[in-house]
Amino acid sequence: MASPNSKHEAFTEWVIQRGVSIHNIQPAQLPGRGLGIIAQNFIKAGERVVQVPIKALLTTDAIPEAFLNLHGTTTVHGLLASFLAFGQHFCKYSLSAWRATWPSMEDLQSSMPLLWLQSFPEIKSPDSRPNDEQFRLPPGIGGMWMNALLKPEYRRTAYLSCLLTKQRTKLEKDWALVSQAIPTASYADYAYYWFIVNTRSFYCDLPTRLKPLTMDDRMVLCPFIDYFNHADKGCNVDFGEGGFVITTDRDYGQKQEKSLLYLTELTAMIFSLSNVILFSAGTPKAQNALGEDFLTSLSNYIVNSDGVCFRTQVAIRTMTLHAEEWRQYVEGQLNEDKQTEMAADVMLWQVILAVFDAEATSAINSIEAMTRNGTDLPAAMMAITLNRWRQIRLMIREAVSNGMNNCTKRLCLEIMDDRSVQILEGAVQL
């Protein structure tokens, strides 16, 4: 494991001068994984390893009024990117030591799906499907589904609401405003810093002169903490009057990598479209009586390794219960018998879990075949996407194993293993 080079040492000295407190950790090159944070010596659970005071954060308050006024109603994301690209001469202090540690555009292209768009299959109509030999991202990111039963309106919704479409639209809107504010601005320079802000920002409810702010606009750049790698479990992150504070979640030995505690991004990005397919199979018994407005208001359906959230369970039971039974279930007054519970599990499997599992299996087989047969697509892109699809499939199968009735989960797992193609074609029933 290589020691950090001089630019990282210079940056560490710079952040300490800015008031950042660093205890017993350092940046280091991690073989096969780029830059990360390691322990210099043994660290006990609960120890504070980093504190970044508010004054050291890069926020919109660091942007001089003259530069800020050029931009009108630009988003915080767009404004920070513009400032980094074109406004450094307005800054009261140099950011060069920090900038030197940021990834290059080539580094970003190897890991950011928005920069892979030229590799995606063209969507010629709302109801088009990729074929088995095409590279594809998870539907929540790329917006494309293999499932044959998905109606054209859902395919259109999936594409328009997927992460890449939203990001591309956001970038285009931000650039349109910035290019008007600064006619000499270079798109290549702006896009680079837009991606830097996109990948290295933190969210916090920090008082600024730009009020009110939406959740998406509560973005700040946080020096040194942006060294930490993302993980499902890791160090604890707290924000308060003292700024950002990172404490260890467990004991760490010398040179052992540490990771920030992040909300599972896999769940947030990949399963954001669960509600799109939830009502695509048949006419729910309770839905007619209750109306779609109420069901839509539930929103935020989530699937993870433990199963599905209560909102999803409520929505599934609109397909298996009569209206009065459904109301009792929502109010916690219905004592389900085994048959009723199994009916809900079967519907959950048919409408959501089997569909996602089959999508993942098909994509895994496709990417593995492309890798074996040779492809012009970048190896990093293939490896990252393949790993993500494998994580999705594992999560789905854990959801079946951990969140379903014992009488149905064994059969569901067996069918997932043997009949994913038939599931995609809508030909499998329990």
Side-chain angles (χ1 to χ4, degrees):
M1 188 176 296
S3 299
N5 59 29
S6 58
K7 68 180 180 181
H8 300 297
E9 293 171 349
F11 173 61
T12 302
E13 293 177 5
W14 181 80
V15 297
I16 291 174
Q17 293 172 3
R18 298 279 300 158
V20 176
S21 172
I22 304 169
H23 173 68
N24 215 2
I25 60 173
Q26 67 182 51
Q29 293 291 336
L30 306 172
R33 298 200 298 175
L35 200 66
I37 291 291
I38 60 171
Q40 293 175 320
N41 298 292
F42 179 79
I43 303 176
K44 293 182 179 179
E47 285 193 33
R48 187 177 69 186
V49 291
V50 182
Q51 181 170 2
V52 180
I54 291 176
K55 68 178 183 180
L57 302 176
L58 181 59
T59 72
T60 55
D61 284 347
I63 301 176
E65 200 76 27
F67 189 83
L68 183 68
N69 289 339
L70 294 174
H71 292 76
T73 57
T74 309
T75 64
V76 169
H77 188 160
L79 185 59
L80 288 173
S82 181
F83 179 64
L84 291 173
F86 313 117
Q88 181 58 57
H89 59 284
F90 286 94
C91 194
K92 297 179 181 179
Y93 52 90
S94 172
L95 299 174
S96 58
W98 193 2
R99 290 170 182 265
T101 67
W102 292 343
S104 66
M105 187 56 129
E106 290 73 20
D107 294 329
L108 294 171
Q109 286 172 335
S110 70
S111 59
M112 289 199 66
L114 187 55
L115 295 170
W116 301 345
L117 284 176
Q118 64 271 22
S119 302
F120 298 155
E122 182 182 1
I123 298 180
K124 297 181 179 180
S125 66
D127 60 344
S128 62
R129 294 173 62 202
N131 63 51
D132 289 336
E133 298 178 356
Q134 285 179 315
F135 171 86
R136 61 185 182 277
L137 292 165
I141 299 178
M144 295 190 71
W145 289 85
M146 282 289 290
N147 189 276
L149 295 182
L150 206 63
K151 299 176 182 178
E153 57 267 30
Y154 291 129
R155 292 190 185 279
R156 185 182 300 110
T157 299
Y159 178 66
L160 294 176
S161 62
C162 75
L163 183 65
L164 287 189
T165 300
K166 289 180 178 178
Q167 283 189 330
R168 181 167 51 184
T169 301
K170 185 178 179 182
L171 173 56
E172 290 172 351
K173 287 182 177 179
D174 285 345
W175 168 242
L177 291 169
V178 169
S179 60
Q180 283 186 336
I182 308 175
T184 59
S186 159
Y187 176 77
D189 291 340
Y190 180 74
Y192 169 71
Y193 286 107
W194 194 92
F195 287 121
I196 288 293
V197 174
N198 187 63
T199 55
R200 307 183 80 79
S201 289
F202 289 75
Y203 289 84
C204 63
D205 193 8
L206 183 67
T208 74
R209 55 186 165 175
L210 300 180
K211 283 286 187 178
L213 295 179
T214 66
M215 180 59 71
D216 285 344
D217 278 336
R218 295 173 184 174
M219 302 174 75
V220 300
L221 288 169
C222 188
F224 199 83
I225 292 182
D226 57 4
Y227 270 135
F228 284 76
N229 286 318
H230 296 203
D232 294 340
K233 296 181 179 180
C235 295
N236 301 311
V237 187
D238 294 303
F239 178 78
E241 293 183 359
F244 281 100
V245 177
I246 308 298
T247 55
T248 51
D249 62 317
R250 59 186 182 275
D251 293 346
Y252 286 92
Q254 186 177 9
K255 306 302 182 185
Q256 182 177 355
E257 181 191 2
K258 295 201 294 304
S259 299
L260 282 176
L261 178 60
Y262 271 75
L263 186 66
T264 308
E265 59 178 345
L266 182 64
T267 300
M269 292 195 301
I270 307 310
F271 294 101
S272 61
L273 294 177
S274 292
N275 56 324
V276 172
I277 64 169
L278 197 58
F279 301 116
S280 63
T283 302
K285 295 178 181 178
Q287 188 175 347
N288 291 336
L290 297 165
E292 293 188 12
D293 289 343
F294 176 79
L295 298 173
T296 302
S297 70
L298 292 174
S299 67
N300 296 322
Y301 302 103
I302 295 175
V303 184
N304 60 29
S305 297
D306 296 324
V308 298
C309 66
F310 179 69
R311 290 184 181 88
T312 305
Q313 294 286 8
V314 168
I316 284 293
R317 279 162 177 80
T318 65
M319 304 180 184
T320 61
L321 298 175
H322 293 289
E324 184 57 34
E325 293 174 320
W326 185 87
R327 291 182 190 278
Q328 292 176 18
Y329 178 82
V330 172
E331 295 169 358
Q333 303 299 318
L334 181 66
N335 294 319
E336 288 189 301
D337 56 28
K338 183 175 293 186
Q339 183 176 359
T340 304
E341 187 178 273
M342 287 181 61
D345 280 346
V346 168
M347 186 62 70
L348 173 64
W349 183 87
Q350 289 178 329
V351 175
I352 298 179
L353 300 181
V355 174
F356 274 116
D357 186 86
E359 291 281 343
T361 298
S362 173
I364 290 168
N365 293 340
S366 175
I367 295 173
E368 288 178 340
M370 292 173 68
T371 302
R372 287 193 305 269
N373 299 332
T375 176
D376 294 332
L377 299 179
M381 182 174 79
M382 300 288 284
I384 290 170
T385 309
L386 179 60
N387 183 57
R388 185 61 87 203
W389 276 116
R390 286 172 173 166
Q391 288 176 322
I392 291 171
R393 185 167 66 178
L394 176 61
M395 179 181 289
I396 288 295
R397 297 187 181 198
E398 288 177 341
V400 172
S401 181
N402 298 329
M404 293 184 67
N405 187 293
N406 287 331
C407 296
T408 53
K409 69 180 181 183
R410 181 178 298 177
L411 176 59
C412 291
L413 290 172
E414 289 176 354
I415 294 178
M416 282 178 174
D417 281 331
D418 298 335
R419 303 179 69 183
S420 62
V421 173
Q422 291 94 323
I423 291 171
L424 283 175
E425 299 301 327
V428 171
Q429 300 288 329
L430 272 180

